[in-house]
Amino acid sequence: MNSNATRALALELGFSAARICRADEAWQVGDRLAEFVADGHHGTMGWMAETLARRQHPTAMWPDAKSAVVVGLNYGPEQDPLPLLERRSEGVVSVYAQNADYHDLLKKRLKHLARAFAEKTGQQVKVFVDTAPLMEKPLAEKAGMGWQGKHTNLVSRDFGSWLFLGVMLTAAELEPDPPERDTCGSCRACLDICPTDAFPEPYRLDERRCISY
């Protein structure tokens, strides 16, 4: 089962996007995460520090991992939710939390993909949907699904920042997709609209200032 067949099967299973990258190459993301923790921006989320070594690289969790298949599921609303923020007498629930738990939704489909892949290739696989210390967003950027914008979330050319992410790591060596290029440019709309000014600078989030924290 090659890269093209893997991506095609992911789309057949209902994912909006599927891309592939190497999981065993060196990257600088781990160093940035260490800075995030050292600066205390993780607040009281002690698990970020406790699992830092495992988070810094996919192979730190699974040494045999060679490739990462990153899948995305679009959850963008049919209407622009921003006008709702003007209704000061009403509370607004984040779009991602308005429907079924995305962990269950993604994992069911991802397990179907993993099972089919393992049966056809004989290679080991492991699936992740925000259930282990794996950095999905940097892998998605490396796979070319989008880039991490100034708000630190993934930005897709096709789906904006409306993608739930899941990852299948495998010991198989698959042909990777090219990474995406950051095209935020001088735009800072995501920073300016943040009601709690949670970004000390572009591409850096202080979790302690975030409403969800």
Side-chain angles (χ1 to χ4, degrees):
M1 192 170 184
N2 60 22
S3 296
N4 288 335
T6 303
R7 284 189 291 264
L9 178 57
L11 296 178
E12 288 177 12
L13 289 171
F15 289 111
S16 308
R19 307 277 288 187
I20 297 169
C21 68
R22 296 289 304 195
D24 56 353
E25 294 178 339
W27 62 358
Q28 302 300 314
V29 179
D31 294 337
R32 296 203 300 269
L33 179 63
E35 291 177 9
F36 170 82
V37 172
D39 290 341
H41 288 169
H42 63 302
T44 58
M45 297 186 295
W47 63 87
M48 294 294 294
E50 294 165 7
T51 62
L52 176 60
R54 295 172 64 199
R55 288 180 185 274
Q56 287 183 297
H57 199 279
T59 57
M61 290 199 345
W62 185 26
D64 294 335
K66 295 291 188 297
S67 303
V69 179
V70 185
V71 294
L73 184 64
N74 177 32
Y75 68 96
E78 294 182 0
Q79 297 180 335
D80 184 356
L82 286 181
L84 296 176
L85 297 178
E86 302 301 323
R87 302 178 187 175
R88 297 299 184 179
S89 62
E90 301 178 19
V92 180
V93 177
S94 181
V95 173
Y96 86 90
Q98 293 178 13
N99 294 296
D101 190 327
Y102 80 92
H103 299 87
D104 298 333
L105 193 61
L106 259 72
K107 180 161 282 190
K108 183 177 181 180
R109 298 182 188 185
L110 196 52
K111 283 185 175 180
H112 280 300
L113 177 64
R115 188 179 304 113
F117 184 90
E119 289 176 353
K120 288 183 178 295
T121 65
Q123 297 283 1
Q124 288 184 297
V125 297
K126 295 181 185 293
V127 299
F128 304 87
V129 183
D130 191 32
T131 50
L134 182 75
M135 293 194 284
E136 293 102 337
K137 289 183 291 185
L139 284 172
E141 180 178 74
K142 186 177 174 62
M145 189 172 289
W147 68 93
Q148 280 191 261
K150 294 176 182 178
H151 55 359
T152 74
N153 286 324
L154 191 76
V155 182
S156 161
R157 292 180 183 274
D158 296 321
F159 304 105
S161 292
W162 303 103
L163 283 176
F164 291 137
L165 298 176
V167 176
M168 181 185 80
L169 293 181
T170 176
E173 296 197 23
L174 296 171
E175 182 179 354
D177 292 297
E180 180 60 280
R181 182 172 60 91
D182 184 335
T183 57
C184 283
S186 61
C187 178
R188 50 174 293 123
C190 62
L191 307 182
D192 294 337
I193 201 173
C194 179
T196 56
D197 195 22
F199 302 95
E201 60 184 84
Y203 304 103
R204 290 182 68 86
L205 169 66
D206 187 341
E207 293 277 6
R208 298 167 298 181
R209 303 182 192 176
C210 183
I211 289 176
S212 63
Y213 173 84

